Structures are given as structure tokens and as C-alpha cells.
Amino acid sequence: MTRIALVGCGAIGTSMLELLQADKAMEIKAIVVPADAFAATRAVAERLAPGAQVLSSVPVEGIDLVVEAAGHAAIEAHVLPALQRGTPCIVASVGALSAAGFAEKLEAAAVAGGTQVQLIAGAIGAIDALAAARIGGLDEVRYIGRKPPRAWKGTPAEQGRDLEALTQATVIFEGSAREAATLYPKNANVAASVSLAGLGLDRTLVRLIADPAVADNVHVVEAQGAFGSFELTMRNKPLAANPKTSALTVYSAVRALRNRIAPLAI
Ligand SMILES: NC(=O)C1=CN([C@@H]2O[C@H](COP(=O)(O)OP(=O)(O)OC[C@H]3O[C@@H](n4cnc5c(N)ncnc54)[C@H](O)[C@@H]3O)[C@@H](O)[C@H]2O)C=CC1
Ligand SMILES: O=C([O-])CC(=O)C(=O)O
């Protein structure tokens, strides 16, 4: 039985718990959220993970695997200490690695604990192809993220424009993956994933678009290099509980968990 601590219990965490109810080889032992989310999280736990404790930090004992679906700040607060203790971690908030020196810090914590941190592909595909292509050498990688205006609420995209009033597709950001992930921590984790698998946070070109004509979260990756080239378009359904987040992120996290214990992993 693999004993799991789930960090975060919002749109992703709750949907993960729904799916993981079917997995008899895993047990959710702890759900880690800030104190102001205890009441709501206890209600979710009662329904979907009755054996789980709702806590403000990952227990030091009795956890085999930590899975994060909480936000950038949770990596420093919960993932780093777990790695240092030797507990493997699965991370959804990949954009946290856009902070200067943070990827190195995460790596050092994993080395210190003799364990591994796995960054999930989340809402994007072709991370395997990109990471393989990098070995042969990449020349250019572009990422375009297009979401409905409501998905950009509460972000710098609101500065100087009324998102509700947009009548046509509007470029809200153009720059590096590092800047995108820093400015849009809840919307540009995939920009960080694409860049970490490919040309790096500073050389990956990112464009973010608010588009009233789309209902899905549309992600496009274009890559060229010694391997050849590819163009990928994902049209992801957003989660009802959070329009910023694609449902595929949940499936990606559940896949990562199942692959840790499956005799045959794909
Ligand atoms: N890699 C990818 O493709 C994607 C990654 N994400 C990441 O996943 C995160 C969670 O997404 P959602 O579930 O949609 O967000 P949400 O806002 O619905 O839920 C966040 C949950 O985390 C908890 N939380 C917040 N700060 C915390 C902290 N410091 N420690 C522990 N718990 C904390 C909240 O109480 C809540 O339960 C996003 O903020 C983003 O960083 C989201 C979408 C795609
Ligand atoms: O879920 C998505 O479509 C992508 C997302 O929010 C992110 O990259 O942070």
C-alpha cells in the first residue's frame, strides 16, 4: 500500500480524489492545505478520502509519496522539506521553477534526501517528444496558450483592459517562458514544462492570448531541431471548479501516481 500526502485540495485535488477512490493500492493518508481551507477540505475528505487527515504540513512519518496540486508557494513550503527527508514528490506547479535558482534548490533537496521529484506534463502533451528531441539539439521552441477571457481573471491580463468586454482574440503577453510562468503562476505552468523539457526558461518563446471565441484551453507547441519538427495543438476542457485549469492536468497527476506502482508503466 502506497501512503500518499496530497498537497492542495482545490479543483485538481478534489478531482484526483474522485478518481483515486478506485485505486486499492494507494491510500490518501493526509491532505495538506492552509488552515483557512480546513473546513472545506474536511468536507471533501469525508466524502472522498475518509481515512485522510487534513493537516497544515506533510507528516514527517508514514508517507511514501507526496503529490502537489496547490500552487507555486507550496513547493517551497511542502515539497522541499519532503524531498530533504527522502520522500519522493510529484509536482504540478512546475512554474515555480521559474524563480531564479529554484530548480537547483529542488534538485539539491532531492539529492540530499536520495530521492526524486517528478514534474508532471499536466495540461500539455509531447513533453516526451520534446525532452527526447533536446538530446539531438533543438533550434526553436514556441508555446502559445489561448484561453477564454474568464480564465485570465485575477491576473496581470486585467491591467488596462476589461476582459469581459473583449470581442476579439487579444495577446496579453509575449516574452520568455520564465517571465510567463512568473507573471501567470496559475496559467502558465505548461510554459515552464515545455521550456524545461526543451530549450530552457529563457529561450522558449511564449505568447498568451485571451480569446472570447474559444471555450477550451488551447495549447500549441511548435518545435524544430535535429530531430525534425512538430506542431501540437491541445484543446483542453477546463475544470468546472476552476476555468484556469484543464481537466487533463488531473489525469496527468493520476497517471503519474499510478505509474509509480504499476508493474508496466506507460
Ligand atoms: N502543470 C499544469 O499543467 C498545471 C498546473 N497547475 C497548478 O496546480 C495548482 C492548483 O490548481 P487548482 O487545483 O486548479 O487550483 P485551486 O485554486 O482550485 O486549488 C488550490 C488548492 O491548494 C490549496 N493551497 C493554496 N496554497 C497552498 C499552500 N501553500 N500549501 C498547501 N495548499 C495550498 C488551496 O487551499 C486549494 O485547496 C495551480 O495553482 C497551478 O500552480 C494548474 C493547472 C495546470
Ligand atoms: O490547465 C491549463 O490549461 C494550463 C494551466 O493552467 C497552466 O499552465 O498553469
Side-chain angles (χ1 to χ4, degrees):
M1 180 72 74
T2 304
R3 299 162 300 174
I4 292 167
L6 171 66
V7 180
C9 192
I12 297 174
T14 304
S15 296
M16 284 179 69
L17 291 176
E18 277 164 10
L19 290 170
L20 291 171
Q21 281 181 296
D23 289 76
K24 301 299 170 220
M26 288 183 235
E27 190 182 0
I28 308 294
K29 294 295 274 187
I31 304 176
V32 176
V33 289
D36 63 2
F38 275 11
T41 304
R42 283 201 182 106
V44 174
E46 214 166 283
R47 191 164 56 86
L48 300 172
Q53 283 184 287
V54 174
L55 302 167
S56 55
S57 59
V58 176
V60 171
E61 302 282 341
I63 298 296
D64 303 311
L65 185 59
V66 171
V67 55
E68 176 278 332
H72 291 196
I75 313 292
E76 174 104 48
H78 305 298
V79 171
L80 279 177
L83 288 172
Q84 275 153 358
R85 287 196 297 272
T87 311
C89 296
I90 291 172
V91 160
S93 297
V94 181
L97 279 71
S98 62
F102 200 75
E104 292 77 7
K105 212 167 157 183
L106 210 51
E107 223 174 311
V111 170
T115 187
Q116 192 179 46
V117 54
Q118 181 185 354
L119 311 175
I120 62 164
I124 197 73
I127 292 296
D128 54 350
L130 201 52
R134 180 177 61 175
I135 291 167
L138 286 162
D139 299 321
E140 188 169 291
V141 181
R142 289 177 178 275
Y143 163 74
I144 303 166
R146 183 185 296 265
K147 293 185 181 181
R150 69 191 187 113
W152 300 105
K153 282 198 175 150
T155 76
E158 283 187 317
Q159 281 159 23
R161 66 171 70 82
D162 178 3
L163 288 171
E164 301 278 355
L166 289 184
T167 54
Q168 57 188 31
T170 303
V171 176
I172 55 162
F173 172 86
E174 244 171 336
S176 70
R178 188 184 299 280
E179 288 172 283
T182 306
L183 289 171
Y184 296 89
K186 297 182 179 178
N187 275 307
N189 289 281
V190 294
S193 301
V194 165
S195 66
L196 290 165
L199 272 179
L201 286 152
D202 299 308
R203 286 179 61 207
T204 306
L205 311 170
V206 173
R207 182 182 298 168
L208 302 177
I209 299 170
D211 188 347
V214 298
D216 297 334
N217 293 340
V218 184
H219 302 290
V220 172
V221 181
E222 298 164 353
Q224 284 162 31
F227 77 102
S229 65
F230 77 76
E231 298 85 35
L232 168 83
T233 301
M234 313 276 308
R235 293 184 195 84
N236 290 343
K237 298 290 172 215
L239 288 172
N242 185 356
K244 291 180 167 58
T245 296
S246 298
L248 189 67
T249 315
V250 175
Y251 309 143
S252 176
V254 170
R255 169 188 177 237
L257 281 176
R258 289 182 179 162
N259 269 352
R260 302 290 300 206
I261 51 176
L264 192 156
I266 187 157

